[in-house]
Each structure stands twice: as C-alpha cells, then as structure tokens.
Amino acid sequence: MTYALIREEAYAANMQLPELGLVLFTFGNVSAADRQAGVFAIKPSGVPYANLRPEDMVVVDFDGKLVDGNLRPSSDTLTHAVLYKHWEHVGGISHTHSVYATAWAQSGRDIPLFGTTHADHLTVDVPCAPPMEDEKIRGDYEYETGFQILRCFKTRQLDPREVEMILVGNHAPFTWGKTAAKAVYHSAVLETVAKMALLTEQINPEALRMKESLIRKHFERKHGPDSYYGQA
Amino acid sequence: MTYALIREEAYAANMQLPELGLVLFTFGNVSAADRQAGVFAIKPSGVPYANLRPEDMVVVDFDGKLVDGNLRPSSDTLTHAVLYKHWEHVGGISHTHSVYATAWAQSGRDIPLFGTTHADHLTVDVPCAPPMEDEKIRGDYEYETGFQILRCFKTRQLDPREVEMILVGNHAPFTWGKTAAKAVYHSAVLETVAKMALLTEQINPEALRMKESLIRKHFERKHGPDSYYGQA
Amino acid sequence: MTYALIREEAYAANMQLPELGLVLFTFGNVSAADRQAGVFAIKPSGVPYANLRPEDMVVVDFDGKLVDGNLRPSSDTLTHAVLYKHWEHVGGISHTHSVYATAWAQSGRDIPLFGTTHADHLTVDVPCAPPMEDEKIRGDYEYETGFQILRCFKTRQLDPREVEMILVGNHAPFTWGKTAAKAVYHSAVLETVAKMALLTEQINPEALRMKESLIRKHFERKHGPDSYYGQA
Amino acid sequence: MTYALIREEAYAANMQLPELGLVLFTFGNVSAADRQAGVFAIKPSGVPYANLRPEDMVVVDFDGKLVDGNLRPSSDTLTHAVLYKHWEHVGGISHTHSVYATAWAQSGRDIPLFGTTHADHLTVDVPCAPPMEDEKIRGDYEYETGFQILRCFKTRQLDPREVEMILVGNHAPFTWGKTAAKAVYHSAVLETVAKMALLTEQINPEALRMKESLIRKHFERKHGPDSYYGQA
C-alpha cells in the first residue's frame, strides 16, 4: 500500500467517528496530511463505515487533484484541500454532522464560552461562519467553503492554531489539529461543548459568559508554556 | 420459501429498525415490493423483533389481500398497499414511531429546512399531513391513512420520487424509497433531521430557513444529473 | 425453590428494567403475583441488578407480611401490596424512576394525550396523583402511597384495567398489568410517551390533544372486542 | 504494588466513569484515601481510560505532595487534597464533566429539589459555588478550588456528611463519599437528578420544590437511624 502511513491514520480516524457517536451513516469524513509529500488521504465518498479499509482512502494533493486511489474521494475534499494549503500547521481535518454542533450551525449562532470544558480547548466562542454568497454557492461550492472558513478566521482575527474548530452556517462543523486523531478529538469536544451550552441557556437564559481570568487559566493549564495537564 | 427475495429484503430492513434505535418493542413495520408479481412482503403484526424470521413475513397484494403467509400482517398493511398501488416507483415503505419525528407529527408542524443535512435529502420542509375527518377514521382507517398521505402530496404538489417522507399528524412518520433498505435509511435521516430542527429552534427561535441556492446545491450534489456524491 | 414461578417471573421482569434503560442502580422494583396463593414475589431492597438471582426474590402476602425469603423486600413493598389487595385483576406491578416519566411526576402535571403512541395504550391523559397530606407521609408512608394511587383513580373515575399507569406527584411512575412482564412493558411505553409529550410541547406550545374519534380508533385496534393488532 | 488497596480502589472507581457515561475522553478523575497512612491514590493526568492500570494510580499526601508513582497526578489533585485534609470522614472523591450537572454548574444555579430521586440522597438543593475571585484564579488555582468548595459549605452551613455533592460555578461537579465507589455513585445520582430537574422545569416552569415532610421521609428511609432501605 502506497502512502501507507496517512492511509492508516485517516482510516483509523474515520472509524472513530461512528464509535464516538458523531455520524449517522456516511455523514462525515476525516483526512490526514503528509506535509513532505504535499498530499492528504481522505475517506472515499459515500462508502459505509462498516465496509471501509485503509487502502480505500483516496490520496489527493493540496489542490484536490487525485494522486492515488481507485475510489472517488469525499465530496468535501476541496474544502479540506483549501485548509491544508493555507494553514501549514494542520495535519488532520474532520467534518461531521454531529447533532448538537450542527444545530448550532443551523441556528447561525456562535457557541458562547460558558465553562471550563470549553475553555480547556479554546479561549473564545466557537465561531459560526455566515452563509456564503449565492454566486459562490453556484460556483465551486466545496472550494468556496474552504475560503468561507479562511475568511471567517481572518475577519475575526482568529489563529487556527489556537481555535481548531468552526461551525459553517446552515451546514455543520469542521475541526482540525496536528493529526487526524486530534481533529476527531476536537469534533467530539465540540459536540459536548455544543450540548452543554444549549442546556446551560435552557437552565438559565441569563447565564453569563465565563470570566476572562478563568478562561485564560484553564486554557494555559492545558496549552500554555507552563501547562501541567497530561504527562510531560 | 416462496417470495424469498422480498421476504429476505423485508426481514433485513425490519431488523434495521431496532439497530438504528428507531423502534420500541414492535412499534414499526417495513415492507418490500415485487413490482412484477404485484405483491409486497410485510412484518407480521405484533411479533417481537427478537423472534422474527424471514419466513414470517406476510405477502399481500396491492389491495392488501393475503397472498402467502401464516401470520396476520401488520395492522398498517392497508396504508402500505395504497401507497404501492398509487406510486409505482416505490419499492419499499417504512413506518416507525421514532421519538423526534413522532413529536413533530404530534405537534402538527412541518419540519423546517434549516440545514444541509436536510437539504441533502429533500428540498422542502418535511410535510405534516393534517388529521383526517371523523367519518374516515371510523371507516377503513388504515386504508384512509394511505389516502391521507396521497392527498397531502397532491394538495402541496409534491413529487413522491423527490420527497420520500411524511409525518401523519398526531400519529407518526412514513418513509419510502426504491428498496426497503432505502425506506429505512430515510426513517433514520428523518429522525436525525427532526432532532436537529427542534434543537435549532431552541438555540435560536428566530433561526431562518436555509436559502434556496444552498438547498438546490446540496440536493443536486447527491441527486441531480451531475451528482458527485458516492461512487459512480 | 418455593414459589418458583412467580420468583422466576419477578426476576426476569426486574432484569428487563436495566436492559430497557429504565433504571439507574437499584432505583426500581417489579413484583409478580400468585392470585391463588394470595402472595407476590418482589425484588429485595437495594441489591444491584448484576447480583440478583431468582431465589433472592422475596415472597410476601397482600398485606405485605413476609411469607418466604432471606432478604428484606423492596422498601416499596407495601405500595405493591395495597394495589394487589384492591385491584384483583392485577398480576404484576412495576416501579421505576425513569427520567422522563419522573420529570412529569415532579412537574405535577398529567401527560396530555398527543398521539397514537399514547392512544394505542390508554384513552386518557396519564394521571398524576397529587402529593399526599403531611400526616400520611409521617405515618405508614408506602402503605399510604398505595391509597394515594387508589384515591386518584377513584376521584377521576378511572378503571385500572384500562389505565395501567400513574405518576405519583413529586415521586415517580407506577405501572401494572396482567403479568410482571406486561407491567414492565407499560413502564417502557410510559417513558416513551412522556418523552414524546415533552418534545411535542417544545415544538408547538399550542399543540392540541388528539381528537376523540382517533383516540378510540387506536385504542380499539389494540384492545377493543374487534381488535386486530397482533396475532390471534 | 505498594498502596495496593487504594490503587485498586481508585482504579476500579475511575473505570466506572466511562461505563456510567459520565466522562468524555479523560475529563474526570477519582481518588481513594487511606486515612491511616494519610495519603490518597488518584488517576494520572491525561491518560486515556483504555490504557489505565491500577499501578498507574499516583499516591500523594493530603498536601498534594507526591508519595509514590511514576506519572504526574491529575491536574485537579490539589482540590482533592484540600477536601481530604479538611473533611476527615471523606474516603473517596470524584470529579467529572458529566453533561447535565456541568450545564447546571455553567448556569450558576443550584439544582432545586423537585422529587424523591433527589431527596433519597440529600435534603437540600444541590449547591452551586459562585466563581472565585481573580487573584485566587491567578494563584494556586486547584488548591483554591478546594477552598471555594469548603467556603460554600461553611457559608450555607451544610454538612459534607449529609450533602455529598457540589457544583463549582462555570466548571463542573465534585462528589464524595466514604469510599471512591460511593463518590462515583454520587456522580451518577447527581447527573440523573440534574437531568430530571431541567426536564421538570421545561414541563412546568412553575413546578414547586417538594414539600419538607416528604423530603425528610425519603431521606430518612435511606439514611436516618431507622432507615429501612437496602439489606441490614
């Protein structure tokens, strides 16, 4: 098997999606990049998880051109390609239609930062990118979805190394990380944070965003130069 | 076993219902049609899923008359029969009382099209048929339920080849497709879409329907003449 | 093993509770009656389901007096006893703290009849008995809980052969049936109906009760003299 | 293995968290104390549950100083240490980010006592400690979280032997008990009570707290000098 490492990595990460309850049928896809080779491996389009094998992963370059594989790649491949091309630190990308995160995306709202579960992973509300203009939808839609995400990060001056997730308005979440496994990890964190935030507002419609000092403390516990979470 | 193909198909599709979390006890039934023979196989009434066998499936014609089988067919058989008789392209029908779709049916509201998960499967709100008139309820109720569905599609000028699901007001959903497996697939999609729509309105009571350009794009990705989802 | 039949029946029915997701830890109990012998077998108090054995079931009479068994019976035993003593057709009783039914009991509201899932099993709202008076609470509490249920049925002129479930206000549901298995079946039906009703009101706060003609039709499909649900 | 008993106890209790659906990934930790030795065993920081072994548990004293172990202890270790040091009867502590309890913590509200499921375990609303002052957050944060909990109990005159759970505002729950297993038991009870209370308010925004006589009755059934729940 050529590109064995990223195929295995993408395969294993894709198989995590049903295990974590993040997908129904084939509504999701994960990719893993090989930065040296300038390619990434991604799930083939519409193939049930039960039938997937590592060798089914399709390898494409950062322009989305087929490099290796017998199957058609995920219909969202161009979105992945745009993100890899512009964000050089990203090693894996995950896209799901997980229920709570998708409901926030459909509602068009950012997810407010209400607690430490959220702050352990990012210090801002989870951004929700506004829907794209009609001519872009009619054009190269998945390619434009990548730029929709880039634009949202630029407009809001967010750093994709610190904020590793986004909601695409009326659509669903995309998450990323240094590896495909990390990207899927962020999909699961986002789903939990999305559910907790909805419940929080139901319990107390006046619930306040967490205060800044506590946000910084929790993020730095896990991510700062003096982080002390996990094993050294 | 006579009618082995549709019995196996109906059996396998029925067994998917508990696996996908769409039924409690026996509250659901799936059928599979043989268009050449003019018959369909359907789950027997009130038999627990754990005890079902392919040979238990009951074979009836498109007027609901028994053709083959030792058990009494599902009490909803006449509803299936009416749909098969009038919609010639339908090869399988699924009926469940899945919780979120049933709650929408009980609420008497169509499910608004809020996002791409919905638009990947149909370009309109999921229709909710209004309750039927009293004399029809007292008459041949399950037969009339079939006409209640036909009437709703006619009134709203919907095409059952494009919209493969409906909510029957105060009752529960029916879905269909080219095969019994596809019908069950639509039951699961509907349940997810129903849950997402409720959550969307809870997060943002002012949430807007998805715009038309994006609806068309997503539906055509999967279903149009230039569809590029799945394997060729 | 003495009283083997009802002990096996009570054991099997109790084991259904965790399987159906109706209990956390030991928060539930089911009993099975032997009408000829004038006794019933009930789960012992506070024993984890994983450790239960048929011979652990405790046999008591309809006054709640110990007849056979080495363990202390469920703390709710006297409530079961009162119901068996006054309702001669009851063969099994189930008590759970299932989440949605308990939330309705805590809210002090009857569960409105919104759809056919409910009407397939009873033709009225699920009754919620008001909390009992203080002196009764301080007295023989579990015994009084039985009378609280009897009183509610009497006041509302309900027939326990037709309505086989109740919510005890601020507490939780009790259900019954001809057998212990039927009682547990009703616990599961009630939990589903309770969840659907809450979701229905969330989707449409103005949702209407189902109309009487449809209620009667569905109930009689399953229970009337001309019922045609299930196998003959 | 040194400190084998508390390591085994802490290990078994930690493994219960994923089994009971109380944690995502590593978002939780349980400890078990040896009062004679003046130490407790706690989960190492950031190690996936699937990889945990009893010997990985880290042993520290009641000031949080490492006594035995090769891994870095949970980042919440100092919070556990403070509670053990000040509450002498506590033998185990559990911390999770379970979804419903965390949503209440994020909402900043106590969980109202609506029913017997709650009253079986404590006679007051589940307290929610207000967020701590900024200088404390910037200081020794986890240590201060311990004092935040102690302060809340002192201010409200609560007895930690009767109330064995708390919500830390904007963060998540802590629970405790005579053993680590009991602490985890309380985490699960709290999650269920938290879910039921949210649903209760959704069903009836005017739902009333349970009356005092019934609260006392239920608590004393399980915990009073004349308790009659469970086996003697």
PDB file of all heavy atoms in Angstrom, chain D residues 92-118:
ATOM      1  N   GLY D  92     -13.365   8.984  49.543  1.00  0.00           N
ATOM      2  CA  GLY D  92     -13.207   8.981  48.082  1.00  0.00           C
ATOM      3  C   GLY D  92     -13.825  10.225  47.488  1.00  0.00           C
ATOM      4  O   GLY D  92     -14.803  10.758  48.026  1.00  0.00           O
ATOM      5  N   ILE D  93     -13.230  10.712  46.399  1.00  0.00           N
ATOM      6  CA  ILE D  93     -13.707  11.934  45.732  1.00  0.00           C
ATOM      7  C   ILE D  93     -13.769  11.673  44.232  1.00  0.00           C
ATOM      8  O   ILE D  93     -12.881  11.022  43.665  1.00  0.00           O
ATOM      9  CB  ILE D  93     -12.774  13.130  46.031  1.00  0.00           C
ATOM     10  CG1 ILE D  93     -12.795  13.457  47.535  1.00  0.00           C
ATOM     11  CG2 ILE D  93     -13.166  14.354  45.214  1.00  0.00           C
ATOM     12  CD1 ILE D  93     -11.757  14.484  47.954  1.00  0.00           C
ATOM     13  N   SER D  94     -14.829  12.193  43.609  1.00  0.00           N
ATOM     14  CA  SER D  94     -14.992  12.009  42.161  1.00  0.00           C
ATOM     15  C   SER D  94     -15.252  13.362  41.504  1.00  0.00           C
ATOM     16  O   SER D  94     -16.032  14.173  42.008  1.00  0.00           O
ATOM     17  CB  SER D  94     -16.172  11.060  41.905  1.00  0.00           C
ATOM     18  OG  SER D  94     -16.515  11.042  40.542  1.00  0.00           O
ATOM     19  N   HIS D  95     -14.593  13.591  40.386  1.00  0.00           N
ATOM     20  CA  HIS D  95     -14.793  14.831  39.622  1.00  0.00           C
ATOM     21  C   HIS D  95     -15.061  14.451  38.169  1.00  0.00           C
ATOM     22  O   HIS D  95     -14.291  13.712  37.565  1.00  0.00           O
ATOM     23  CB  HIS D  95     -13.548  15.708  39.719  1.00  0.00           C
ATOM     24  CG  HIS D  95     -13.562  16.869  38.777  1.00  0.00           C
ATOM     25  ND1 HIS D  95     -14.612  17.772  38.729  1.00  0.00           N
ATOM     26  CD2 HIS D  95     -12.670  17.289  37.845  1.00  0.00           C
ATOM     27  CE1 HIS D  95     -14.350  18.691  37.795  1.00  0.00           C
ATOM     28  NE2 HIS D  95     -13.188  18.413  37.245  1.00  0.00           N
ATOM     29  N   THR D  96     -16.189  14.920  37.629  1.00  0.00           N
ATOM     30  CA  THR D  96     -16.489  14.658  36.220  1.00  0.00           C
ATOM     31  C   THR D  96     -16.908  15.960  35.546  1.00  0.00           C
ATOM     32  O   THR D  96     -17.089  16.978  36.222  1.00  0.00           O
ATOM     33  CB  THR D  96     -17.663  13.661  36.049  1.00  0.00           C
ATOM     34  OG1 THR D  96     -18.897  14.368  36.246  1.00  0.00           O
ATOM     35  CG2 THR D  96     -17.579  12.498  37.013  1.00  0.00           C
ATOM     36  N   HIS D  97     -17.040  15.905  34.217  1.00  0.00           N
ATOM     37  CA  HIS D  97     -17.709  16.968  33.467  1.00  0.00           C
ATOM     38  C   HIS D  97     -18.975  16.376  32.845  1.00  0.00           C
ATOM     39  O   HIS D  97     -19.264  16.615  31.679  1.00  0.00           O
ATOM     40  CB  HIS D  97     -16.791  17.539  32.372  1.00  0.00           C
ATOM     41  CG  HIS D  97     -15.677  18.396  32.893  1.00  0.00           C
ATOM     42  ND1 HIS D  97     -15.290  19.560  32.295  1.00  0.00           N
ATOM     43  CD2 HIS D  97     -14.882  18.258  33.975  1.00  0.00           C
ATOM     44  CE1 HIS D  97     -14.280  20.097  32.974  1.00  0.00           C
ATOM     45  NE2 HIS D  97     -14.006  19.319  33.992  1.00  0.00           N
ATOM     46  N   SER D  98     -19.716  15.605  33.615  1.00  0.00           N
ATOM     47  CA  SER D  98     -20.939  14.985  33.077  1.00  0.00           C
ATOM     48  C   SER D  98     -21.869  16.090  32.588  1.00  0.00           C
ATOM     49  O   SER D  98     -21.971  17.160  33.197  1.00  0.00           O
ATOM     50  CB  SER D  98     -21.601  14.124  34.141  1.00  0.00           C
ATOM     51  OG  SER D  98     -22.133  14.913  35.176  1.00  0.00           O
ATOM     52  N   VAL D  99     -22.561  15.826  31.479  1.00  0.00           N
ATOM     53  CA  VAL D  99     -23.172  16.903  30.692  1.00  0.00           C
ATOM     54  C   VAL D  99     -24.224  17.719  31.434  1.00  0.00           C
ATOM     55  O   VAL D  99     -24.180  18.951  31.444  1.00  0.00           O
ATOM     56  CB  VAL D  99     -23.750  16.325  29.384  1.00  0.00           C
ATOM     57  CG1 VAL D  99     -24.521  17.386  28.615  1.00  0.00           C
ATOM     58  CG2 VAL D  99     -22.627  15.787  28.510  1.00  0.00           C
ATOM     59  N   TYR D 100     -25.186  17.077  32.070  1.00  0.00           N
ATOM     60  CA  TYR D 100     -26.272  17.826  32.700  1.00  0.00           C
ATOM     61  C   TYR D 100     -25.813  18.541  33.974  1.00  0.00           C
ATOM     62  O   TYR D 100     -26.185  19.700  34.209  1.00  0.00           O
ATOM     63  CB  TYR D 100     -27.479  16.923  32.965  1.00  0.00           C
ATOM     64  CG  TYR D 100     -28.230  16.608  31.692  1.00  0.00           C
ATOM     65  CD1 TYR D 100     -27.865  15.552  30.867  1.00  0.00           C
ATOM     66  CD2 TYR D 100     -29.278  17.418  31.275  1.00  0.00           C
ATOM     67  CE1 TYR D 100     -28.538  15.289  29.673  1.00  0.00           C
ATOM     68  CE2 TYR D 100     -29.958  17.171  30.089  1.00  0.00           C
ATOM     69  CZ  TYR D 100     -29.581  16.100  29.295  1.00  0.00           C
ATOM     70  OH  TYR D 100     -30.241  15.856  28.118  1.00  0.00           O
ATOM     71  N   ALA D 101     -25.033  17.867  34.789  1.00  0.00           N
ATOM     72  CA  ALA D 101     -24.543  18.515  36.010  1.00  0.00           C
ATOM     73  C   ALA D 101     -23.650  19.702  35.641  1.00  0.00           C
ATOM     74  O   ALA D 101     -23.725  20.771  36.258  1.00  0.00           O
ATOM     75  CB  ALA D 101     -23.779  17.502  36.865  1.00  0.00           C
ATOM     76  N   THR D 102     -22.834  19.549  34.607  1.00  0.00           N
ATOM     77  CA  THR D 102     -21.957  20.638  34.177  1.00  0.00           C
ATOM     78  C   THR D 102     -22.776  21.807  33.640  1.00  0.00           C
ATOM     79  O   THR D 102     -22.432  22.969  33.867  1.00  0.00           O
ATOM     80  CB  THR D 102     -20.966  20.122  33.121  1.00  0.00           C
ATOM     81  OG1 THR D 102     -20.200  19.062  33.703  1.00  0.00           O
ATOM     82  CG2 THR D 102     -20.027  21.222  32.667  1.00  0.00           C
ATOM     83  N   ALA D 103     -23.861  21.508  32.933  1.00  0.00           N
ATOM     84  CA  ALA D 103     -24.711  22.590  32.425  1.00  0.00           C
ATOM     85  C   ALA D 103     -25.295  23.404  33.583  1.00  0.00           C
ATOM     86  O   ALA D 103     -25.358  24.628  33.520  1.00  0.00           O
ATOM     87  CB  ALA D 103     -25.823  22.024  31.548  1.00  0.00           C
ATOM     88  N   TRP D 104     -25.717  22.727  34.667  1.00  0.00           N
ATOM     89  CA  TRP D 104     -26.197  23.468  35.848  1.00  0.00           C
ATOM     90  C   TRP D 104     -25.062  24.310  36.435  1.00  0.00           C
ATOM     91  O   TRP D 104     -25.272  25.464  36.813  1.00  0.00           O
ATOM     92  CB  TRP D 104     -26.761  22.510  36.906  1.00  0.00           C
ATOM     93  CG  TRP D 104     -28.173  22.059  36.620  1.00  0.00           C
ATOM     94  CD1 TRP D 104     -28.550  20.930  35.942  1.00  0.00           C
ATOM     95  CD2 TRP D 104     -29.402  22.729  36.975  1.00  0.00           C
ATOM     96  NE1 TRP D 104     -29.933  20.862  35.865  1.00  0.00           N
ATOM     97  CE2 TRP D 104     -30.477  21.944  36.496  1.00  0.00           C
ATOM     98  CE3 TRP D 104     -29.690  23.902  37.665  1.00  0.00           C
ATOM     99  CZ2 TRP D 104     -31.815  22.302  36.669  1.00  0.00           C
ATOM    100  CZ3 TRP D 104     -31.026  24.271  37.844  1.00  0.00           C
ATOM    101  CH2 TRP D 104     -32.077  23.479  37.354  1.00  0.00           C
ATOM    102  N   ALA D 105     -23.856  23.732  36.518  1.00  0.00           N
ATOM    103  CA  ALA D 105     -22.709  24.495  37.047  1.00  0.00           C
ATOM    104  C   ALA D 105     -22.457  25.717  36.173  1.00  0.00           C
ATOM    105  O   ALA D 105     -22.204  26.813  36.679  1.00  0.00           O
ATOM    106  CB  ALA D 105     -21.469  23.604  37.103  1.00  0.00           C
ATOM    107  N   GLN D 106     -22.562  25.550  34.865  1.00  0.00           N
ATOM    108  CA  GLN D 106     -22.342  26.668  33.946  1.00  0.00           C
ATOM    109  C   GLN D 106     -23.446  27.725  34.072  1.00  0.00           C
ATOM    110  O   GLN D 106     -23.222  28.907  33.822  1.00  0.00           O
ATOM    111  CB  GLN D 106     -22.266  26.162  32.505  1.00  0.00           C
ATOM    112  CG  GLN D 106     -21.028  25.319  32.235  1.00  0.00           C
ATOM    113  CD  GLN D 106     -20.803  24.984  30.768  1.00  0.00           C
ATOM    114  OE1 GLN D 106     -19.693  24.661  30.368  1.00  0.00           O
ATOM    115  NE2 GLN D 106     -21.839  25.045  29.940  1.00  0.00           N
ATOM    116  N   SER D 107     -24.624  27.279  34.447  1.00  0.00           N
ATOM    117  CA  SER D 107     -25.750  28.213  34.566  1.00  0.00           C
ATOM    118  C   SER D 107     -25.687  29.008  35.870  1.00  0.00           C
ATOM    119  O   SER D 107     -26.412  29.979  36.039  1.00  0.00           O
ATOM    120  CB  SER D 107     -27.074  27.448  34.513  1.00  0.00           C
ATOM    121  OG  SER D 107     -27.369  26.917  35.788  1.00  0.00           O
ATOM    122  N   GLY D 108     -24.848  28.545  36.797  1.00  0.00           N
ATOM    123  CA  GLY D 108     -24.702  29.262  38.069  1.00  0.00           C
ATOM    124  C   GLY D 108     -25.860  29.075  39.034  1.00  0.00           C
ATOM    125  O   GLY D 108     -25.992  29.818  40.008  1.00  0.00           O
ATOM    126  N   ARG D 109     -26.688  28.056  38.784  1.00  0.00           N
ATOM    127  CA  ARG D 109     -27.857  27.850  39.654  1.00  0.00           C
ATOM    128  C   ARG D 109     -27.714  26.583  40.494  1.00  0.00           C
ATOM    129  O   ARG D 109     -27.174  25.581  40.030  1.00  0.00           O
ATOM    130  CB  ARG D 109     -29.130  27.699  38.798  1.00  0.00           C
ATOM    131  CG  ARG D 109     -29.606  28.974  38.149  1.00  0.00           C
ATOM    132  CD  ARG D 109     -30.919  28.705  37.399  1.00  0.00           C
ATOM    133  NE  ARG D 109     -31.930  28.153  38.283  1.00  0.00           N
ATOM    134  CZ  ARG D 109     -32.993  27.447  37.862  1.00  0.00           C
ATOM    135  NH1 ARG D 109     -33.171  27.212  36.561  1.00  0.00           N
ATOM    136  NH2 ARG D 109     -33.864  26.974  38.716  1.00  0.00           N
ATOM    137  N   ASP D 110     -28.262  26.621  41.726  1.00  0.00           N
ATOM    138  CA  ASP D 110     -28.439  25.387  42.495  1.00  0.00           C
ATOM    139  C   ASP D 110     -29.464  24.509  41.782  1.00  0.00           C
ATOM    140  O   ASP D 110     -30.345  25.016  41.090  1.00  0.00           O
ATOM    141  CB  ASP D 110     -28.999  25.701  43.891  1.00  0.00           C
ATOM    142  CG  ASP D 110     -28.048  26.543  44.737  1.00  0.00           C
ATOM    143  OD1 ASP D 110     -26.919  26.792  44.287  1.00  0.00           O
ATOM    144  OD2 ASP D 110     -28.469  26.949  45.835  1.00  0.00           O
ATOM    145  N   ILE D 111     -29.398  23.203  41.985  1.00  0.00           N
ATOM    146  CA  ILE D 111     -30.415  22.304  41.415  1.00  0.00           C
ATOM    147  C   ILE D 111     -31.549  22.165  42.425  1.00  0.00           C
ATOM    148  O   ILE D 111     -31.338  21.630  43.516  1.00  0.00           O
ATOM    149  CB  ILE D 111     -29.832  20.918  41.092  1.00  0.00           C
ATOM    150  CG1 ILE D 111     -28.634  21.056  40.142  1.00  0.00           C
ATOM    151  CG2 ILE D 111     -30.906  20.015  40.485  1.00  0.00           C
ATOM    152  CD1 ILE D 111     -27.963  19.731  39.814  1.00  0.00           C
ATOM    153  N   PRO D 112     -32.760  22.644  42.077  1.00  0.00           N
ATOM    154  CA  PRO D 112     -33.867  22.597  43.033  1.00  0.00           C
ATOM    155  C   PRO D 112     -34.284  21.159  43.356  1.00  0.00           C
ATOM    156  O   PRO D 112     -34.235  20.293  42.481  1.00  0.00           O
ATOM    157  CB  PRO D 112     -35.017  23.306  42.284  1.00  0.00           C
ATOM    158  CG  PRO D 112     -34.414  23.952  41.086  1.00  0.00           C
ATOM    159  CD  PRO D 112     -33.168  23.195  40.773  1.00  0.00           C
ATOM    160  N   LEU D 113     -34.710  20.948  44.572  1.00  0.00           N
ATOM    161  CA  LEU D 113     -35.151  19.622  44.990  1.00  0.00           C
ATOM    162  C   LEU D 113     -36.609  19.427  44.568  1.00  0.00           C
ATOM    163  O   LEU D 113     -37.519  19.901  45.231  1.00  0.00           O
ATOM    164  CB  LEU D 113     -34.983  19.494  46.512  1.00  0.00           C
ATOM    165  CG  LEU D 113     -35.007  18.073  47.073  1.00  0.00           C
ATOM    166  CD1 LEU D 113     -34.543  18.070  48.513  1.00  0.00           C
ATOM    167  CD2 LEU D 113     -36.329  17.397  46.929  1.00  0.00           C
ATOM    168  N   PHE D 114     -36.794  18.707  43.474  1.00  0.00           N
ATOM    169  CA  PHE D 114     -38.136  18.555  42.906  1.00  0.00           C
ATOM    170  C   PHE D 114     -38.786  17.214  43.222  1.00  0.00           C
ATOM    171  O   PHE D 114     -39.982  17.049  42.981  1.00  0.00           O
ATOM    172  CB  PHE D 114     -38.086  18.693  41.380  1.00  0.00           C
ATOM    173  CG  PHE D 114     -37.990  20.109  40.881  1.00  0.00           C
ATOM    174  CD1 PHE D 114     -37.039  20.469  39.940  1.00  0.00           C
ATOM    175  CD2 PHE D 114     -38.870  21.083  41.334  1.00  0.00           C
ATOM    176  CE1 PHE D 114     -36.961  21.766  39.459  1.00  0.00           C
ATOM    177  CE2 PHE D 114     -38.806  22.390  40.856  1.00  0.00           C
ATOM    178  CZ  PHE D 114     -37.845  22.732  39.919  1.00  0.00           C
ATOM    179  N   GLY D 115     -37.993  16.223  43.657  1.00  0.00           N
ATOM    180  CA  GLY D 115     -38.632  14.914  43.809  1.00  0.00           C
ATOM    181  C   GLY D 115     -37.851  13.951  44.677  1.00  0.00           C
ATOM    182  O   GLY D 115     -36.782  14.280  45.222  1.00  0.00           O
ATOM    183  N   THR D 116     -38.365  12.739  44.769  1.00  0.00           N
ATOM    184  CA  THR D 116     -37.805  11.761  45.700  1.00  0.00           C
ATOM    185  C   THR D 116     -36.459  11.205  45.244  1.00  0.00           C
ATOM    186  O   THR D 116     -35.667  10.772  46.079  1.00  0.00           O
ATOM    187  CB  THR D 116     -38.782  10.591  45.907  1.00  0.00           C
ATOM    188  OG1 THR D 116     -38.976   9.937  44.654  1.00  0.00           O
ATOM    189  CG2 THR D 116     -40.119  11.086  46.425  1.00  0.00           C
ATOM    190  N   THR D 117     -36.203  11.194  43.941  1.00  0.00           N
ATOM    191  CA  THR D 117     -34.901  10.706  43.472  1.00  0.00           C
ATOM    192  C   THR D 117     -33.790  11.554  44.091  1.00  0.00           C
ATOM    193  O   THR D 117     -32.731  11.044  44.478  1.00  0.00           O
ATOM    194  CB  THR D 117     -34.820  10.794  41.938  1.00  0.00           C
ATOM    195  OG1 THR D 117     -36.055  10.391  41.368  1.00  0.00           O
ATOM    196  CG2 THR D 117     -33.702   9.926  41.404  1.00  0.00           C
ATOM    197  N   HIS D 118     -34.042  12.846  44.178  1.00  0.00           N
ATOM    198  CA  HIS D 118     -33.127  13.793  44.794  1.00  0.00           C
ATOM    199  C   HIS D 118     -33.141  13.600  46.322  1.00  0.00           C
ATOM    200  O   HIS D 118     -32.080  13.443  46.949  1.00  0.00           O
ATOM    201  CB  HIS D 118     -33.592  15.204  44.387  1.00  0.00           C
ATOM    202  CG  HIS D 118     -32.716  16.335  44.814  1.00  0.00           C
ATOM    203  ND1 HIS D 118     -32.471  17.424  44.004  1.00  0.00           N
ATOM    204  CD2 HIS D 118     -32.041  16.587  45.953  1.00  0.00           C
ATOM    205  CE1 HIS D 118     -31.687  18.288  44.631  1.00  0.00           C
ATOM    206  NE2 HIS D 118     -31.414  17.804  45.811  1.00  0.00           N
TER     207      HIS D 118
END
